[in-house]
Amino acid sequence: MPAQITNFQCPACTGPLHFDGESGRLKCDYCGSSFPVQEIEALYGEKIESAQQAAQAAAEEKPWGWDAVSGDWGEAGADMRAYTCPSCGAELICDSTTVATQCPYCGNPTVVPGQFDGSLKPDYILPFKLDKKAAVRALSEFYKDKKLLPKEFAAANQIEKIQGVYVPFWLFNGTAEVDMSFNATRSMTHRQGDKIITETDHFRLRRSGDVDFVRIPVDGSERMPDAHMDAIEPFDYSELKPFSPAYLPGFLANKYDVPQDECAKRADARAAKTAEDVIAATAQGGYATCIPESKSVRLRRGEVNYALLPVWMLSTRYKDQSFLFAMNGQTGKLIGDLPVSKKRYWGYFAGVALPVAGALAALLYFFL
């Protein structure tokens, strides 16, 4: 039976190819040759189609289950797949969402075309622009000016794993119709004899309008922390490319395992909150206070696209504790959790609290 996976090898020396974000071409790890994406895509078109057909035939012959892989995998095997590396013949064990990975034996990047066949095929891909070295540099920069970070953290924190991942995202388009009312006030103060008089006018405001949204991103992967994925936005969608598997070699990639309808709830919540803020901002000018009294938000969802977006995931370890960081593979924006030094925390607190307490004591001394 034809192989269900394929890899991209250099036409010059058959060495493994990987996509280079800086040049936008596929480069050979051995001879240094580079090739346009379109050339490699055309060269491997038949292999990709053959792998897709093999995957479809295998699924029809025997649906995937725990016994589809060798060994006793128990319940976990229900989510596993077994493939044969076309380069060295080794057995590759992947989970059911894997689209691109690397053979642990020969090191060749491998792609599973059957995972993006038909309706599973992404509409777009946003290629990596930044490499692994850029991710390591960004992590070092992230430590700087963190006043509460343990002093030895930067030196002792060890990177355990760093991997470029094409994360599946749903991109939602739509319009929010917003109608809001506010209770606003405007005050004027003037002196009348020995008295200072404040006059307050009350206004009832109403604001309404439509707010359009283009490509609200929501990650469609259960394994990716939503907070990290939200925090590394935004992405520059002007650089989106029609999906091609030729961008995948050298990176991991997964198909979505959170359906569009479930992700739509997060997109709707973000759209509604942003639309409210936009409309509310139009009522702020010229008023001392502006308190929302009622609101009505109606969402009209438009086209939804499926895309793979570039993310560097970094896992580090410090004092037997793991820390996870994520970096936008296009812009370099990095986010992650950091430990807090108790000594520095209390020192910083004392540095702020003591001057305030001293100033308050002085005021009490002079006015009481």
Side-chain angles (χ1 to χ4, degrees):
M1 178 181 290
Q4 297 181 43
I5 66 174
T6 188
N7 52 30
F8 292 84
Q9 295 176 312
C10 175
C13 72
T14 71
L17 293 173
H18 71 276
F19 179 76
D20 177 65
E22 185 176 357
S23 65
R25 297 164 67 91
L26 285 107
K27 287 190 173 182
C28 176
D29 294 330
Y30 290 94
C31 70
S33 300
S34 66
F35 307 89
V37 169
Q38 295 79 4
E39 180 179 338
I40 298 301
E41 184 179 18
L43 184 63
Y44 279 86
E46 290 186 7
K47 285 189 176 182
I48 291 172
E49 185 177 353
S50 177
Q52 289 175 332
Q53 292 174 353
Q56 184 177 0
E60 292 174 353
E61 178 181 348
K62 184 177 183 181
W64 286 110
W66 69 269
D67 56 348
V69 296
S70 59
D72 182 13
W73 290 79
E75 293 183 2
D79 199 37
M80 306 301 291
R81 306 288 185 266
Y83 305 104
T84 300
C85 175
S87 295
C88 68
E91 185 178 49
L92 305 182
I93 306 299
C94 312
D95 67 30
S96 60
T97 65
T98 299
V99 172
T101 185
Q102 185 177 44
C103 177
Y105 300 98
C106 67
N108 271 290
T110 59
V111 177
V112 189
Q115 295 283 52
F116 44 76
D117 190 21
S119 62
L120 296 175
K121 182 180 178 180
D123 300 304
Y124 301 105
I125 187 168
L126 190 60
F128 274 86
K129 291 187 70 174
L130 302 174
D131 61 12
K132 184 182 296 186
K133 292 181 181 178
V136 174
R137 288 195 301 269
L139 183 62
S140 298
E141 289 294 321
F142 189 65
Y143 299 154
K144 293 182 179 180
D145 300 323
K146 301 295 191 295
K147 298 183 182 299
L148 303 183
L149 192 67
K151 188 176 181 180
E152 70 280 7
F153 179 80
N157 185 43
Q158 300 296 318
I159 297 178
E160 289 188 315
K161 187 175 183 181
I162 176 170
Q163 182 65 59
V165 183
Y166 278 111
V167 179
F169 274 81
W170 296 106
L171 306 180
F172 292 88
N173 300 275
T175 300
E177 299 176 358
V178 186
D179 193 332
M180 302 181 70
S181 63
F182 304 84
N183 181 10
T185 62
R186 184 184 294 144
S187 299
M188 294 182 295
T189 301
H190 63 276
R191 180 181 292 275
Q192 186 173 329
D194 295 333
K195 298 179 181 179
I196 296 178
I197 298 175
T198 299
E199 297 179 353
T200 300
D201 295 326
H202 292 264
F203 303 87
R204 183 174 179 83
L205 308 180
R206 183 179 178 184
R207 297 288 188 269
S208 61
D210 293 349
V211 180
D212 294 328
F213 294 91
V214 179
R215 292 172 176 162
I216 299 175
V218 180
D219 69 281
S221 174
E222 286 187 351
R223 71 186 62 191
M224 290 297 169
D226 293 342
H228 284 60
M229 296 300 100
D230 290 346
I232 61 173
E233 296 176 23
F235 292 91
D236 181 2
Y237 297 124
S238 67
E239 298 182 350
L240 282 172
K241 307 291 185 184
F243 175 75
S244 168
Y247 290 103
L248 301 180
F251 302 98
L252 294 183
N254 297 93
K255 67 179 182 180
Y256 69 87
D257 53 7
V258 182
Q260 175 185 317
D261 289 345
E262 187 173 334
C263 290
K265 299 174 184 177
R266 288 179 57 202
D268 289 349
R270 293 180 62 178
K273 179 62 170 62
T274 302
E276 291 174 22
D277 292 342
V278 169
I279 297 301
T282 66
Q284 301 298 323
Y287 298 99
T289 64
C290 188
I291 310 300
E293 287 191 332
S294 66
K295 64 182 179 182
S296 172
V297 180
R298 181 184 175 188
L299 299 174
R300 296 199 311 269
R301 196 176 303 153
E303 183 182 16
V304 181
N305 298 123
Y306 173 33
L308 298 182
L309 305 185
V311 180
W312 282 102
M313 299 300 298
L314 303 93
S315 175
T316 69
R317 195 161 190 83
Y318 170 73
K319 290 186 176 181
D320 297 326
Q321 188 175 358
S322 295
F323 297 89
L324 184 66
F325 302 86
M327 189 189 87
N328 187 315
Q330 180 195 40
T331 67
K333 184 178 180 180
L334 185 140
I335 193 68
D337 299 321
L338 293 172
V340 174
S341 167
K342 293 182 179 180
K343 182 178 179 180
R344 289 192 169 191
Y345 172 82
W346 288 112
Y348 183 76
F349 178 79
V352 173
L354 289 178
V356 172
L360 181 60
L363 289 173
L364 293 175
Y365 176 81
F366 284 107
F367 290 97
L368 293 181

